[in-house]
Amino acid sequence: MSTKSIASEFARRRKDLMAMLEPNSIAIVATAEEKIRSRDTHFAFRPDSDFYYLSGFAEPGAVLALVPGREHGEFVMFVRDKDREKEIWDGYREGPEGVMANYGADDAFPISDIDEILPGLMEGRERLYYSLGRDPEFDRQIMSWLNALRAKERSGAIPPGEFLDLDHYLHDLRLFKSSAEAKLMRTAGKISAQAHVRAMQMAKPGVYEYQLQAEIEHEFAKNGAHYPAYSSIVGSGANGCILHYIENTQKMQDGDLVLIDAGCEYQMYAADITRTFPVNGKFTEPQKQVYNVVLEAQFAAIEATKPGNHWNAPHEAAVRVITQGLVNLGLLEGDVDELIEQTAYRDFYMHRTGHWLGMDVHDVGDYKVAGDWRVLEPGMCLTIEPGIYIAPDNQNVAEQWRGIGIRIEDDVLVTSDGCEILTADVPKTVVDIEALMAQ
């Protein structure tokens, strides 16, 4: 996108949010804090997703306020002031003038002046929209401003009388992706797919899990995605049965599968892909049988991902296929409907089939509305990720099945007539995976 179109995208988001707020209100959003990694070193800074969604501003130490109807401008920013000495050490700062010139702020002030200025913006507003509980320190600051205004009520100060949760409104906006957001997510999906292809090509017995992780994350960075969207999972053998395995320290063995769950973050938007494949490039017969059940379940879940179906429809479709497959393989016994009712499949499939995806890998948005599963609509983006995990110490199944862990995951965008798979560029059938690894 051009600079002008980017600016208009953020301006539209602010306008849409302010249109949802009650009259005579103010909304306040702070960015994330810098986090210490060890002693005097910090983790790479990432702005709070809500804050960035509304501003496009990626520096730490910033707060935004939306004040609908304010005479001197509705979009107010508090940012770090210009400081030549600190910029020499830590990098360029926009300063108040920069955020007005480059980020569309109507008014901007040094963050050091927030205690003097922001309470004045709150005064006279009937309602305060804020996400309480995310940052305890900033919560206390908000409450101190409110209490200071309340203490001056006899002198004529009018503090906000209602305190409303901003998440309910803002997160509903974020749930529906614009065309600009969908474009970024397609790019994130393509880069992540290339990384998974590279991992398949580099895998062989004797390679360590962390070496495949390095190949994947190098591919991310090479293509403009500076960071993974989450800690990459590279679990070979029995490690594939550990859902959030991130140690990635084991040497991969001939005959084992390796489960890779990894996705990049591209311009603040996440991808999330899982593929499971044989370390030596050839599935064993038991591995192939379990794999094809999971793949069939994923196809069924993707088919159920369309407007008008509710959020749980893809999960229900996957559960039915997996339960039937487990019966066919002899891993469960009984009537499929009864087994589903008893959730017998949870010994082998213990997580749900997906989650919302966007700026956060487990993105915001309600899954239920008024107690009912939310209906899928165009613009929603979610993962589809069924799996089967047979614990290595499960004595209730034949030895040939033990230690097989398989998950297959893609990112899908709900469209007007179905869904678009954003991560389709990485193989997932047995034939295609074995052909790629044989090259």
Side-chain angles (χ1 to χ4, degrees):
M1 290 191 294
S2 67
T3 302
K4 184 176 181 180
S5 60
I6 292 172
S8 65
E9 172 78 8
F10 290 109
R12 178 193 59 77
R13 296 173 186 177
R14 295 189 294 271
K15 182 180 178 181
D16 288 347
L17 177 61
M18 286 190 285
M20 299 171 75
L21 306 182
E22 293 288 337
N24 198 26
S25 61
I26 180 172
I28 300 172
V29 184
T31 195
E33 294 291 323
E34 293 183 285
K35 302 294 184 183
I36 293 175
R37 184 181 186 277
S38 63
R39 198 173 169 86
D40 59 351
T41 64
H42 290 76
F43 286 103
F45 177 73
R46 184 190 187 278
D48 174 78
S49 295
D50 285 344
F51 178 89
Y52 187 87
Y53 179 82
L54 294 170
S55 68
F57 188 65
E59 289 184 22
V63 173
L64 70 82
L66 297 179
V67 196
R70 178 173 177 261
E71 183 180 352
H72 299 294
E74 298 177 320
F75 175 32
V76 183
M77 288 277 279
F78 297 86
V79 299
R80 301 177 305 178
D81 213 347
K82 298 288 288 181
D83 186 320
R84 178 164 176 75
E85 183 175 348
K86 289 184 178 179
E87 288 183 64
I88 289 171
W89 286 92
D90 299 323
Y92 177 78
R93 296 180 176 189
E94 287 284 353
E97 297 81 7
V99 295
M100 292 178 68
N102 301 321
Y103 292 86
D106 298 312
D107 221 344
F109 305 94
I111 191 70
S112 57
D113 292 344
I114 195 168
D115 289 333
E116 288 73 42
I117 296 171
L118 192 48
L121 297 177
M122 294 166 56
E123 185 178 357
R125 294 280 154 174
E126 295 177 22
R127 300 165 189 87
L128 169 61
Y129 289 85
Y130 174 68
S131 301
L132 190 67
R134 187 179 302 173
D135 181 345
E137 183 59 36
F138 197 68
D139 289 351
R140 285 190 285 271
Q141 202 167 3
I142 288 279
M143 294 310 299
S144 72
W145 296 330
L146 277 174
N147 290 334
L149 287 173
R150 287 168 181 163
K152 297 178 181 178
E153 282 186 284
R154 290 186 179 180
S155 303
I158 304 174
E162 285 188 74
F163 203 114
L164 300 171
D165 182 22
L166 183 62
D167 287 355
H168 175 72
Y169 304 91
L170 179 52
H171 293 176
D172 212 56
L173 282 179
R174 283 180 54 190
L175 179 58
F176 294 88
K177 275 51 181 184
S178 67
S179 58
E181 291 177 288
K183 184 176 181 180
L184 293 174
M185 295 189 73
R186 288 188 192 97
T187 302
K190 286 184 176 296
I191 293 171
S192 299
Q194 291 171 19
H196 278 262
V197 168
R198 177 169 169 173
M200 289 180 183
Q201 293 171 324
M202 300 301 293
K204 62 182 179 180
V207 171
Y208 282 88
E209 293 165 344
Y210 60 77
Q211 291 175 311
L212 283 193
Q213 178 185 352
E215 297 287 345
I216 290 164
E217 293 177 8
H218 177 266
E219 193 71 19
F220 292 168
K222 187 180 77 170
N223 288 285
H226 294 173
Y227 304 106
Y230 52 95
S231 297
S232 300
I233 295 170
V234 183
S236 62
N239 293 335
C241 295
I242 303 171
L243 300 184
H244 290 160
Y245 172 81
I246 57 172
E247 285 83 359
N248 302 348
T249 55
Q250 183 169 290
K251 183 186 287 187
M252 299 191 299
Q253 305 297 317
D254 192 17
D256 280 348
L257 295 172
V258 57
L259 183 157
I260 297 180
D261 186 338
C264 74
E265 181 176 277
Y266 179 77
Q267 294 187 22
M268 292 288 290
Y269 284 83
D272 187 1
I273 301 176
T274 306
R275 291 293 186 267
T276 310
F277 54 90
V279 171
N280 63 11
K282 194 74 175 175
F283 287 90
T284 67
E285 191 57 34
Q287 291 169 352
K288 185 187 300 184
Q289 290 182 53
V290 177
Y291 186 93
N292 282 331
V293 172
V294 177
L295 184 61
E296 184 184 349
Q298 202 214 26
F299 287 148
I302 290 173
E303 180 67 24
T305 306
K306 56 188 177 183
N309 276 0
H310 59 69
W311 160 260
N312 208 42
H315 180 65
E316 292 172 350
V319 163
R320 178 160 294 278
V321 172
I322 285 173
T323 304
Q324 182 67 66
L326 292 170
V327 170
N328 294 345
L329 295 176
L331 295 168
L332 286 177
E333 294 181 359
D335 176 76
V336 169
D337 288 330
E338 291 180 4
L339 291 169
I340 291 173
E341 175 127 2
Q342 298 161 5
T343 65
Y345 59 87
R346 286 187 63 82
D347 287 342
F348 305 97
Y349 179 39
M350 59 289 295
H351 60 78
R352 297 195 62 79
T353 301
H355 52 78
W356 300 132
L357 183 71
M359 296 183 77
D360 297 307
V361 68
H362 288 173
D363 208 32
V364 296
D366 293 332
Y367 292 100
K368 285 188 172 182
V369 176
D372 295 323
W373 292 114
R374 186 159 200 156
V375 174
L376 297 175
E377 299 180 58
M380 294 176 172
C381 191
L382 60 151
T383 64
I384 301 292
E385 49 178 307
I388 291 176
Y389 315 89
I390 308 170
D393 59 354
N394 188 338
Q395 299 300 312
N396 297 320
V397 302
E399 187 175 357
Q400 64 175 341
W401 307 113
R402 296 175 197 163
I404 294 178
I406 294 169
R407 182 164 65 252
I408 307 170
E409 177 181 21
D410 282 297
D411 306 339
V412 300
L413 178 70
V414 181
T415 61
S416 60
D417 58 356
C419 65
E420 173 189 352
I421 302 175
L422 305 179
T423 50
D425 289 351
V426 53
K428 62 182 175 183
T429 67
V430 167
V431 170
D432 289 343
I433 289 171
E434 290 185 343
L436 174 65
M437 297 185 71
Q439 292 177 6

